[in-house]
Each structure stands twice: as structure tokens, then as C-alpha cells.
Amino acid sequence: MKIGLSTSTFFNTVAAESMFDLLRNMRVECTELCLNTFSDYEKAYVDRLAALRAGMDVVAVSPLSTQFEPQLFSPNVRVRADAELIFRKVCYACFAFGAKFYTFRGPINLNHTKNFDYMRLAQRFSQLSDIAASYGVNLSLKNMSWSYASTPEFFDKILDKCPRLYATFGIYHAELAGYDIREFLDKCPPQRVSMIEVRDFVKNEWCLPGKGKYRFDKLFLDLDKRRITAPVMLAVGSDSYTDFVQIRDGYEHLVSEYRGIMR
């Protein structure tokens, strides 16, 4: 299992062109690369940024999904087609960075709907998975608390109907939706978990690992028991640190916790 650091941690604090050097200086093993705006998805920019990777293991690419992913499920053909053009650009970015996974969020659940047309959704997820596969990429659905995929039950039903769909599970959004991350893990075959996203918390405040009370040793043991070998990715908000040394210490705390249970 690899321990990594998502570049979402540096949102609005570090230019994308500097992120790979910063990750290497922190001795980070792998990353999830986040793209944040429409110009980030353009081939010329992606190619320039990919040239700076220099061997860094990019596990997944993550766009700012609310810009276009909900429109991929629109009943309006033109809306759906326009969104698909951007979707393909992100798939190319995954290819350019050598990432096997596209961290995908999909529709926003503004009305807190609980009854979904799973057959219709599965058909669209399968279509998008086929497009991603043409770039050598796998679609990985993330358990965002504001999305359709906010519950373990959603994954239980949609993964069964979409054999090419993978899953990304995060502690933060699981907790926001009122679940323990293990409830999501229990609904997904271990080989279809592409990434686990983590952060710490204490007194209802989210923080870097080592600053809170989350038992990462127990999480690593649970992942091992379930035979899940997907990378564990640290991802925190920029309000969780004041300097990059704190991020490095949080990352090293995770690595130490993992090595401690593997001895």
C-alpha cells in the first residue's frame, strides 16, 4: 500500500507548476493531481504540466467537478454533449499524467433525493466508463456528501450494475453524510477501491494527521483485513496548516502509522 498526498491540500496556496517539486521535497510517494478550472483542462497546459512530473506517481486526476460533471447526466442532449467535451479533456489529462483513475463525483443531489433510477444512472456511468477506457483510464466514483453517491447503499446498487466503475472513499465526506468510512468499504469489492482519502479531526474540527484523535492504525488494520491495497491519500483544506512543514509532518505521521501496523 502506498501513502500519498493529494494536491487539493495546496488549493489556492501553491501554483500547479510548483507542486511536483514540493511533493518530491516532502518525499511523497504518490499523489492525486487536482485541476481547478477550464484552462487547466486544455491539452497545451496539461502537456506542459505533465512534463514537470519527472516520475512522480500520479494515481488519479481530479477536476473541479461541479463545473461540468452534473451536466453529463442532463436530459438535454446539447448540454450533455458540451459537458462530454470537457470530460474527454480530463480523461486525456489522466493519460498524460500516467494516472489510471479519474476521481469522479457526478450529479449533485440538491433535493436530497433518496429514490434513484439506478438503471438509467448505471447506463450513463457505463457510457462514461467506456469513454474513459478509450484513454486507458478508469472512472472512480467518490462518496461526496452532496452527491448521489453519499451513502453506502448507492455504491452497493450502482457498482453491481457497472462492473467497470471503481470507487474512491474519503473519511471527510463519509462523516459529513453521517457514516463511518468502513460502511462504504463493506459495499465495495476490495479490487474496485481505487483510493482512500484521509484527514484527522478533533472536537469537530478537521486537521492534519497527528493533530487529532483519529485511529489511523485501526483504519490500516481494517484495510488489511479487507485486503484493500489502494493508496491512502492525505487531503486537507488550506485552513488546516500554516506552513508546509506541518503538511510534511502530517504525511510522515501517516507513513509511520502504516509502518507500525505492518511490522
Side-chain angles (χ1 to χ4, degrees):
M1 178 184 290
K2 293 182 177 181
I3 311 297
L5 176 61
S6 173
T7 66
S8 63
T9 300
F10 305 118
F11 183 64
N12 286 339
T13 62
V14 178
E17 292 80 0
S18 301
M19 286 183 182
F20 288 123
D21 282 341
L22 183 56
L23 291 169
R24 278 188 286 271
N25 288 338
M26 291 182 179
R27 300 184 296 278
V28 170
E29 192 170 2
C30 60
T31 190
E32 173 196 43
L33 182 71
C34 298
L35 303 175
N36 301 312
T37 190
F38 296 103
S39 59
D40 285 2
Y41 312 140
E42 295 301 322
K43 184 179 184 300
Y45 178 80
V46 166
D47 288 345
R48 287 199 304 272
L49 198 58
L52 303 175
R53 182 168 69 97
M56 173 64 65
D57 181 8
V58 178
V59 173
V61 170
S62 174
L64 192 54
S65 65
T66 51
Q67 294 169 333
F68 68 94
E69 285 184 3
Q71 288 74 32
L72 289 166
F73 296 81
S74 172
N76 186 300
V77 175
R78 290 181 63 200
V79 170
R80 201 165 62 241
D82 284 350
E84 205 169 283
L85 291 174
I86 304 173
F87 176 79
R88 288 178 178 273
K89 291 178 180 180
V90 178
C91 288
Y92 172 77
C94 293
F95 168 78
F97 288 107
K100 293 300 182 184
F101 296 100
Y102 173 142
T103 305
F104 190 79
R105 281 84 167 179
I108 299 173
N109 192 7
L110 293 176
N111 297 321
H112 304 290
T113 301
K114 295 182 179 179
N115 298 316
F116 301 105
D117 184 344
Y118 284 100
M119 291 307 297
R120 183 183 65 82
L121 286 170
Q123 182 181 29
R124 186 56 173 152
F125 276 121
S126 295
Q127 290 170 348
L128 294 170
S129 294
D130 287 344
I131 293 172
S134 70
Y135 292 83
V137 179
N138 300 291
L139 209 61
S140 185
L141 183 64
K142 189 174 179 181
N143 64 312
M144 306 301 287
S145 59
W146 43 258
S147 73
Y148 284 17
S150 64
T151 68
E153 290 73 22
F154 186 90
F155 282 91
D156 188 34
K157 293 181 179 179
I158 205 68
L159 290 174
D160 183 59
K161 294 175 174 59
C162 301
R164 297 184 70 169
L165 188 64
Y166 286 75
T168 294
F169 296 128
I171 290 174
Y172 175 69
H173 281 280
E175 295 283 341
L176 285 183
Y179 298 96
D180 187 284
I181 192 172
R182 295 162 182 82
E183 296 178 78
F184 288 92
L185 297 174
D186 288 340
K187 300 298 184 181
C188 185
Q191 70 276 14
R192 292 174 68 183
V193 179
S194 69
M195 190 169 64
I196 307 293
E197 194 174 89
V198 300
R199 63 178 73 180
D200 209 340
F201 58 86
V202 61
K203 295 181 180 179
N204 297 319
E205 294 290 332
W206 294 93
C207 57
L208 285 160
K211 299 291 186 182
K213 296 184 177 181
Y214 193 83
R215 292 293 303 274
F216 291 104
D217 56 341
K218 287 188 175 182
L219 175 63
F220 286 128
L221 285 170
D222 284 338
L223 293 175
D224 185 60
K225 181 176 68 175
R226 291 172 169 82
R227 303 195 179 201
I228 294 172
T229 59
V232 171
M233 201 71 59
L234 170 60
V236 298
S238 57
D239 58 348
S240 296
Y241 60 88
T242 55
D243 59 57
F244 298 148
V245 173
Q246 293 175 350
I247 299 174
R248 185 201 63 197
D249 289 347
Y251 169 74
E252 290 181 350
H253 177 82
L254 270 183
V255 173
S256 176
E257 289 283 287
Y258 176 63
R259 289 176 177 167
I261 66 103
M262 294 306 292
R263 288 190 186 127

